[in-house]
Amino acid sequence: MSVGREQLMAAAIQHLNEDPTASMAQLAEAAGISRATLHRHFSGREELMVALGHRALERWDAVQRAAGVQSAVASAEPAELRGALGALLSGLIEVADDYGFGLTDHAMAVNPELLRHSDELEEREIALFTAAQRAGLLRADLPARWLSGTVFGLLVAVREGLRRGDIARRDVPRLLLETFLYGAAAGPRATTSPETAAPPGTSGAPPQPPATNTERQEPL
Amino acid sequence: MSVGREQLMAAAIQHLNEDPTASMAQLAEAAGISRATLHRHFSGREELMVALGHRALERWDAVQRAAGVQSAVASAEPAELRGALGALLSGLIEVADDYGFGLTDHAMAVNPELLRHSDELEEREIALFTAAQRAGLLRADLPARWLSGTVFGLLVAVREGLRRGDIARRDVPRLLLETFLYGAAAGPRATTSPETAAPPGTSGAPPQPPATNTERQEPL
DNA sequence: CTCGTCTGCGACAGAAGTGTCTCAGACGAT
DNA sequence: ATCGTCTGAGACACTTCTGTCGCAGACGAG
């Protein structure tokens, strides 16, 4: 047994991230094994895809557990919800980066098993958003389900940005969090590190209208 | 000539939105023509895909022109930039809805022609974001390129939300605009229609801390 | 009516991927 | 050394999609 099932799936995912249309032969070669051996692990392409999907969903699940989503929702404490939200988003970045192709791959959106599994995780996430809305951390005038979709879309944007080299890996958590929470509009807001609010960009100081300077609540 | 080339592509796209893996035979059937006739219009699948891609990019281009992106950037006037941003996002919703599959289809991300075309449009959009940052409409502490990616990601979220029936079509412009500009965090902000700020959801009034009530600048 | 054009239909070969099978060899355990 | 297990290589049949071709029929223009 040269390569285990785990390393096999890891190699497959890594290769699928570069070419989502890779054939079984290419995936076998990427894993350094023969096509026959690949079929000894997974009876067919379908089974491999489902296995990869579940692997990704289990990591998503692990992120939710590590973030303490369940207990935060149960407690309804703003502090706990705040922490769970931050940990969740941070953790999801890595998952989206590792399993990038799965975010938008058609095979994942068709299989009933995977759909049920991901729906379950999504509902848990929506429950967190709903609780955060009740606690006054997140806006209540946007459906929690849409907020969940927003996170998904932003993770796609993160994946693309990293793939194309548009954004630096170390900036991703800040970009994701800032964009998701406060959006792109200019205006007074309290960030986690105010000194990074104005990077030394080429643009001079924006002729910003002197809006009433106030403190904004800092949910995360 | 029963069906023109335009209607043919429209039918193809509509069908591809439901099943991105549809074969040429399925696309021909969806358009109500034979497979041979489809090949008389497009020499192969590759050519069809490129044509569909360009069609989508031309609509994107049209949205940019209708929004007056170029002149707004040239003028650097906050009022013009504000209008261009709003018109751009509103227009992109329809494009993303009609050409949904193209947002994440692999064939689109591979063809050099389409890449050059979309890069050109994207650069124009980034120029608008940059100008809006200089005018104080958008945050300057987030890269304009990331803001462009954010819009892309949110459009993917819109597509998915509509496909799954999570969100109502009439709510989409508000959801997209509000989320992109102000994010998901709770806090004092001036929306375009304050009376819609608190929908009659099941959740009671959130125990929101009485943050200092202030007016926020309203970029769009 | 007749001609030219366009269309659908069926057939064809080729390409690519998939799943299965056999066989020989490597390798470790005993 | 031998046995059992696992592996890679190759061959095979099967499916699906693709691209091309010829032919017959519909249909409008003249």
Side-chain angles (χ1 to χ4, degrees):
Chain A
M1 54 181 75
S2 57
V3 291
R5 188 177 163 112
E6 281 300 311
Q7 308 160 38
L8 205 167
M9 290 197 283
I13 284 177
Q14 191 173 348
H15 197 261
L16 283 171
N17 279 337
E18 295 172 3
D19 179 15
T21 69
S23 67
M24 293 291 272
Q26 289 173 302
L27 295 180
E29 185 186 359
I33 62 176
S34 75
R35 200 165 65 92
T37 302
L38 178 57
H39 270 90
R40 289 184 185 109
H41 284 277
F42 304 97
S43 68
R45 187 186 184 82
E46 175 76 9
E47 186 177 322
L48 171 61
M49 286 307 202
V50 172
L52 294 184
H54 276 135
R55 190 181 142 108
L57 293 174
E58 276 161 18
R59 277 200 49 186
W60 184 6
D61 195 337
V63 167
Q64 283 191 349
R65 279 185 274 108
V69 169
Q70 300 259 39
S71 64
V73 171
S75 79
E77 289 287 333
E80 283 209 39
L81 291 167
R82 193 176 311 171
L85 266 178
L88 179 70
L89 293 183
S90 299
L92 284 183
I93 291 173
E94 295 173 19
V95 181
D97 190 20
D98 290 352
Y99 296 84
F101 89 99
L103 283 176
T104 51
D105 195 280
H106 186 62
M108 304 291 165
V110 163
N111 185 278
E113 267 190 85
L114 294 177
L115 275 184
R116 219 175 319 139
H117 195 168
S118 68
D119 276 352
E120 177 190 337
L121 293 172
E122 194 176 346
E123 291 304 324
R124 252 183 264 165
E125 209 160 295
I126 292 174
L128 176 66
F129 288 133
T130 302
Q133 287 178 321
R134 292 212 177 106
L137 295 175
L138 296 182
R139 299 173 60 173
D141 62 335
L142 299 177
R145 201 166 287 273
W146 163 251
L147 293 184
S148 169
T150 294
V151 169
F152 165 76
L154 289 178
L155 289 177
V156 174
V158 164
R159 178 195 71 180
E160 285 301 290
L162 288 176
R163 188 182 63 80
R164 298 166 39 159
D166 287 344
I167 54 181
R169 194 170 243 89
R170 58 169 287 116
D171 291 339
V172 170
R174 182 183 67 94
L175 293 176
L176 176 61
L177 228 55
E178 287 286 320
T179 308
F180 175 66
L181 288 179
Y182 306 117
R189 64 171 55 79
T191 58
T192 50
S193 49
E195 64 273 13
T196 65
T202 59
S203 67
Q208 194 161 321
T212 56
N213 192 9
T214 57
E215 283 295 329
R216 256 184 74 114
Q217 129 185 85
E218 186 183 344
L220 294 192
Chain B
M1 55 180 75
S2 57
V3 291
R5 188 179 163 109
E6 281 300 312
Q7 310 160 34
L8 205 166
M9 290 197 284
I13 284 178
Q14 191 173 349
H15 196 262
L16 283 171
N17 279 337
E18 295 172 3
D19 179 14
T21 69
S23 67
M24 293 291 272
Q26 290 173 300
L27 295 180
E29 184 185 359
I33 62 176
S34 74
R35 201 164 65 92
T37 303
L38 178 57
H39 271 90
R40 288 183 186 110
H41 284 277
F42 304 97
S43 69
R45 184 186 186 82
E46 174 75 9
E47 187 178 321
L48 171 60
M49 285 308 197
V50 172
L52 294 183
H54 276 135
R55 188 180 143 109
L57 293 174
E58 276 160 19
R59 277 200 47 187
W60 183 7
D61 196 336
V63 167
Q64 282 191 351
R65 279 184 275 109
V69 169
Q70 299 258 41
S71 65
V73 170
S75 78
E77 290 287 334
E80 285 209 38
L81 290 168
R82 195 176 311 171
L85 265 178
L88 178 71
L89 292 183
S90 299
L92 284 183
I93 291 173
E94 295 173 20
V95 182
D97 190 21
D98 290 352
Y99 296 85
F101 88 98
L103 284 176
T104 51
D105 195 279
H106 187 62
M108 305 291 167
V110 164
N111 186 278
E113 267 190 86
L114 294 177
L115 275 183
R116 218 176 319 138
H117 194 167
S118 69
D119 275 351
E120 177 189 338
L121 293 171
E122 193 176 346
E123 290 304 322
R124 252 184 264 164
E125 207 160 296
I126 291 174
L128 175 66
F129 289 133
T130 302
Q133 287 177 321
R134 292 214 176 106
L137 295 175
L138 296 182
R139 300 172 60 172
D141 62 334
L142 299 178
R145 201 166 287 274
W146 162 250
L147 293 183
S148 170
T150 294
V151 169
F152 165 75
L154 289 178
L155 289 177
V156 174
V158 164
R159 179 196 70 180
E160 285 301 291
L162 287 175
R163 188 182 62 78
R164 298 168 36 162
D166 287 343
I167 55 181
R169 193 169 243 91
R170 59 169 286 116
D171 291 339
V172 169
R174 181 183 68 95
L175 292 177
L176 176 62
L177 229 54
E178 287 286 320
T179 308
F180 174 66
L181 289 179
Y182 306 117
R189 65 172 54 78
T191 58
T192 52
S193 49
E195 64 274 13
T196 65
T202 58
S203 66
Q208 195 160 322
T212 57
N213 191 9
T214 59
E215 283 294 327
R216 259 185 72 117
Q217 132 183 83
E218 186 181 346
L220 294 192

